[in-house]
Amino acid sequence: MATSSSARRPIGIFDSGIGGLTVAHALAQQLPNEELIYFGDTAHMPYGERSADAIRYYSLRIVKFLLDKNCKMIVIACNSASTAAYQVLLDFFHEQALFVNVVDPLVERVAGEQFHKVGIIATKVTIRSGIYEQQLRSLQPDLRIHALATPLLAPMIEEGYIHNNLSQAVISQYLSDPGFGDIDALLLACTHYPLIRSDIEAFFSGSVRVFDSTDVVAQQVRNRLARYELLSDQRRHAHRFYVSDYTPSFAETTQLFYGEKIKLEHFPIW
Ligand code: DGL
């Protein structure tokens, strides 16, 4: 069947900043025929410290921007925004595009494994929402869960502090929480944490299965596009990467998150 012109429309993807590039990179790898338009709201980062109302307001504006660029699907590549704004985005825009968040694919992946006790680490806003616990328990009611806000991790990673003594001390301090003593799986419920995944696995000496959102989200994007016959057979334009505030430091850090050099464009929507 020929690919329709609808299918050749881009996928919009947004995050509070550049952490969502971990998800964008997984999408680019797994779906090379898809064109991505990324928006990082660096002017308002970190979302993890903001109120749910503020995150909803920012997300609505960003999605409007992406829909104006004719996106067929919006990927909310931010746990904090997925937690606070997914429902309101569906309410406003479900007729204009498909929506994928980063919470549902991770929950489905982990609940399928029948663990006894899982740990969750994320920003304050994600932990406060209780969304992972609610969704996991709705699929596996007897699952034991320990969730902990780990607010130092995202800024630490963003500053490039990974795989060194300082980052290992911070990781160790958080993960030594007694609630994690008997977990058999840990969910990295924040866009930044895939970058310290190997340090986290090393902390548990391989005895805990560690999950992040990158590949499971890319898989869900593929499945949803396929179901709606919206998978593209050919990419027409290069991916575009926008940020709402631009500093040389954001530009430098992008490589850390995306794994290769990209050109960041300043688009001041505020
Ligand atoms: N992108 C955010 C998340 O996944 C982490 C960074 C922030 O707090 O803005 O929750």
Side-chain angles (χ1 to χ4, degrees), residues 124-182:
K124 286 183 194 163
V125 84
T126 299
I127 296 298
R128 218 186 294 130
S129 76
I131 195 161
Y132 277 95
E133 285 104 310
Q134 282 160 28
Q135 293 202 12
L136 282 165
R137 287 222 172 85
S138 74
L139 296 173
Q140 197 187 331
D142 57 347
L143 181 65
R144 292 164 61 222
I145 300 172
H146 180 66
L148 182 73
T150 48
L152 289 181
L153 293 182
M156 176 189 89
I157 296 164
E158 203 133 309
E159 284 299 321
Y161 283 89
I162 56 172
H163 316 315
N164 62 22
N165 291 342
L166 178 89
S167 67
Q168 273 150 6
V170 176
I171 291 166
S172 164
Q173 177 70 29
Y174 279 135
L175 298 183
S176 300
D177 186 295
F180 292 134
D182 54 350

Side-chain angles (χ1 to χ4, degrees), residues 15-17 19-20 44-49 77-81 102 122-123 125-126 154-155 158 189-193:
D15 176 45
S16 56
H44 292 126
M45 194 183 68
Y47 278 10
E49 303 289 318
C78 173
N79 278 268
S80 305
V102 285
T123 63
V125 84
T126 299
E158 203 133 309
C190 173
T191 48
H192 289 56
Y193 301 173

Side-chain angles (χ1 to χ4, degrees), residues 92-108:
F92 272 82
F93 299 121
H94 72 276
E95 283 173 358
Q96 292 170 59
L98 298 173
F99 281 80
V100 168
N101 66 53
V102 285
V103 177
D104 298 345
L106 191 54
V107 166
E108 282 160 28

